Amino acid sequence: MAVSTVCESPVVVPSPAVGGITHGRFTISTHLGKEDDSKTIYCLPDPTNDSMSVSSVTQNSTFCLRTFGYNTLDAVPNYQHYSKTQMPDEHKRTRPSLADLRCYMMEMGQHPPPMNEIRPDDECGKEREVGLSNSKLAEEPVRFGWIKGVMIRCMLNIWGVILYLRLSWITAQAGIALTWLIIIMSVIVTSITGLSISAISTNGKVKSGGTYFLISRSLGPELGGSIGLIFAFANAVAVSMHTVGFAETVKDLLVEYNATIMDPTNDIRIIGVITVTVLLGISLAGMEWEAKAQVGFFFVIMVSFANYIVGTFIPASKEKQAKGFFNYRAEIFAQNFLPCWQSDASFFGMFSIFFPSATGILAGANISGDLKDPAVAIPKGTLSAIFWTAVSYLVISATIGSCVVRDASGSLNDTVLVGSTDCEGIACGYGWNFTECAQAGTCTYGLINYYQTMSLVSGFAPLITAGIFGATLSSALACLVSAPKVFQCLCQDNLYPGIGFFGKGYGKNNEPIYSYLLTYAIAIGFILIAELNMIAPMISNFFLCSYALINFSCFHASVTNSPGWRPSFRYYNKWASLFCAVVSVVIMFLLTWWAALIAIGIVAVLLAYALYKKPAVNWGSSVQAGSYKMALAYSMGLNEVEDHIKNYRPQCLVLTGPPNFRPALVDIVGAFTKNHSLMVCGNVLIGPHKEKVPGVTSNGHTKWLTKRKIKSFYAGVAADDLRSGTQMLMQAVGLGRMKPNVLVMGFKRNWQSDHPQNVDNYIGIIYDSFDLNYGVCMMRMKQGFNISRMMQAHVDSSTVVAQQASTIFQSEQGKKTIDIYWLFDDGGLTLLIPYLLTRKKRWRNCKVRVFVGGQINRMDEERKAMITLLNKFRLGFHEVHVLPDINENPRPEHLKRFEDLIAPFRLNDGFKDEAIVKDLRKDCPWKISDEEIKNSRTKSLRQVRLNEILLDYSRDAALIVVTMPVARKDKCPSTLYLAWLETLSQDLRPPVVLIRGNQENVLTFYCQ
């Protein structure tokens, strides 16, 4: 049943007596009801416009009016007109369509009563009460601000065991100066990445999915999907890495107090499994509980920092001095300011060890769906976290390098008198002699030897241990939350098969329970391995891949200059983003070159899969904007260069009508234009302009072509007849140099029974194409091209896409022949099109035979001359046949058939009065006079004879290509011309292609 249009459905306007209607100051609207006494708003129906379904006005029964001295259906700007979502218990507002604005008319004197866009209390008070009562049943999801949701989460993820256990060692090796340089370099990378994240996250409404969402919506589903999958996996494995770090610290405490559970390896496994299970319970309890746990960890870490800073001012005891701690000393700061490399240590080695601690800046963005306002929270929280963590790293590096010497024995017996000559090192001035162990390399304490130096310096060592616990557990918890959130969004986008099950959400926060369990299983698996030295570099490289792509996303979106790139965060630079993207890739190889290659390889495989599958999503990515900009630039560039014969391509305008009506015509042209030249399927919709316009703008035909894997454009025009519509297409289709130069059409099989005017228009199209310097390609199949009787055209319907009829041109052609009858020199188009066909896989095994006319006494010379010419063209056509009998008279029965063919269209003017003949010629220009038959007899005989030759030589060919005869304009009636084409191609089993170039060279044997 057809859907009625807006114009077909009368809409009733309520009378001014309806209660509860109030006047607004600027915008007014009214609800319509059928029960009210009112006038009818009417419009003439448009029964052919199937694309106009029930409009927004009918659906909402709402008029949007504006008080500018008159009433209008135009809607004022409104947030809901652009929003894809709506609040609960709220009707979504939509602006009236162009059809509504143009179609609806009001009777004279009818004035719909105004009404505020926000309904008054007495009308909607009850509804509001119901909505409030319902909202109590469905609790609001937990949403976080920028501090709790992003800043604290990022700071906890950046602070890790490297801060507590490796920063002092890096300071000892690289010195305070180079350590600060390492920290600053890392901060520059993370800060630029933070600026890029801020720009992307403020360029539109951000939903759940975090890093994957930002990259996929910027660079498209192919890159976004690949990085999203490995990023989710990296976070899942990172859970096990941080948990094992916690478990190893607990194991060391157990060993210290002689309270081991089993052996050290199994202790790590047991503690790790118990820990990650507890963390999973916190996560499943809800984001609110997880956030409370993170705040608790943050408090513990802040206490441990305060404990450390206080410890640097507490006078060092003898035990601490023996281990190298002497409070703040200028001499110690000066000595530790410069590097002191040991063994294979280097600057980039220290950088590779420190940098992974800076890869936690995405923790806040990863829960973007749980933030109150991601566009505000992500930039503010991420950049604040980077700043404060950078300050903490710099302060701790400077303070610990000012208090602790590099080497210390830890023995209370290594005291010495101040000023002793047999003592070396800065500790001698403080009464300690560490010379022996320093020279022997046996010192167990000091910055360069003791990883627990922060505990040594602190006021109360267990608080540093608590800080380590807080850092590892908070990082593990953040990763345990990030991985499912990212993976859920990836699953819901259906980019990869078999993972949709994990995208289902539960509860008020739409928690991905199954994704949590999958993350838990992956974490348990790697915890049981208890050896993460091989997988840890992969995790860092996966994070760096994300950094690189985020920065590249910001750069690419900026450089494409898409009008849709309008981030509210302005403090970014596209070149800085590109620089940071390159640096991120370089750092990947500096960290671990083999892990970088593996990470890039995995991304490449996933990218190739996504490119092959072509996900049916459209997010308006910067890749699309870049493609448009590149296409525009190249198209403009083509205009600056004149055409050259070497670069000639047959760019075809194919008169297919609806492409699904003539699939064979589409397939044969698509075969020789695919990946080589332009193809446009033209459709002339004949009839009143108003009725046919919706079919012109249809995209259903384009989808049909895409599904059939035909690389073609679609262009439709509405015209009064076929000829005028084709003239429009030939003159208007194309862009610069990329415009058609060959008109392809099917043979008019019903020309004898059709109205003569249509026949005249059909032949007129050929004349018009020659006038516009087009080549012409006419195709004929025994069974015809038009299958419209078997197909149904539904504009903008999935039915169009589903109807994919098979044709002979979709199958392998085997070892048949392609016979080319190059009878007249048209510039070489008759040769070029078959050559392009033979480059395709389905036609590759076909043997090409070239037939030319000649004289019987010069056959060898003409054959050698033609072979020489073909060799110069480098077409690979070597089999040439000369037809010496082409000018012989046809058989009488065939000649009789031709005469019978044109008999109904003869004027028979030899026995009529001249005035009568003149009137007939004026009214029926397609009639053939006796003089025209006489003048054209030689040419008519040639077409009959050619048909006999085709039947003799090419009965079993895969394709027959013949040079199309050309009729003199205004000297040959359309019916006579069509009789020639009919006679030439009739009774042939193979498809026949009649080609005539525009008499300009399309082939050359010169190299310039």
Side-chain angles (χ1 to χ4, degrees), residues 615-637:
V617 293
N618 185 3
W619 295 324
S621 66
S622 62
V623 173
Q624 293 173 333
S627 299
Y628 175 86
K629 186 177 180 181
M630 189 179 300
L632 184 62
Y634 285 149
S635 298
M636 295 299 296

Side-chain angles (χ1 to χ4, degrees), residues 345-362:
S346 65
F347 175 80
F348 285 110
M350 294 299 105
F351 179 81
S352 66
I353 292 172
F354 174 81
F355 186 80
S357 67
T359 57
I361 65 170
L362 301 177

Side-chain angles (χ1 to χ4, degrees), residues 251 291 335 403 487 546 553 596 845 859 916 960 976:
K251 184 247 329 180
Q335 186 189 47
C403 298
F487 193 57
S546 303
S553 299
N845 296 325
M859 286 182 59
I916 298 175
I960 300 174
L976 179 58

Side-chain angles (χ1 to χ4, degrees), residues 635 637-649 651 735-741 773 998 1000-1001 1008:
S635 298
L638 285 175
N639 283 339
E640 301 172 5
V641 182
E642 291 295 326
D643 290 331
H644 194 280
I645 303 172
K646 287 172 60 178
N647 292 325
Y648 175 86
R649 299 167 186 265
Q651 304 184 96
L735 181 67
R737 301 283 182 190
M738 295 183 62
K739 62 178 301 181
N741 51 26
N773 208 32
N998 60 4
E1000 295 180 5
N1001 289 349
Q1008 65 178 13

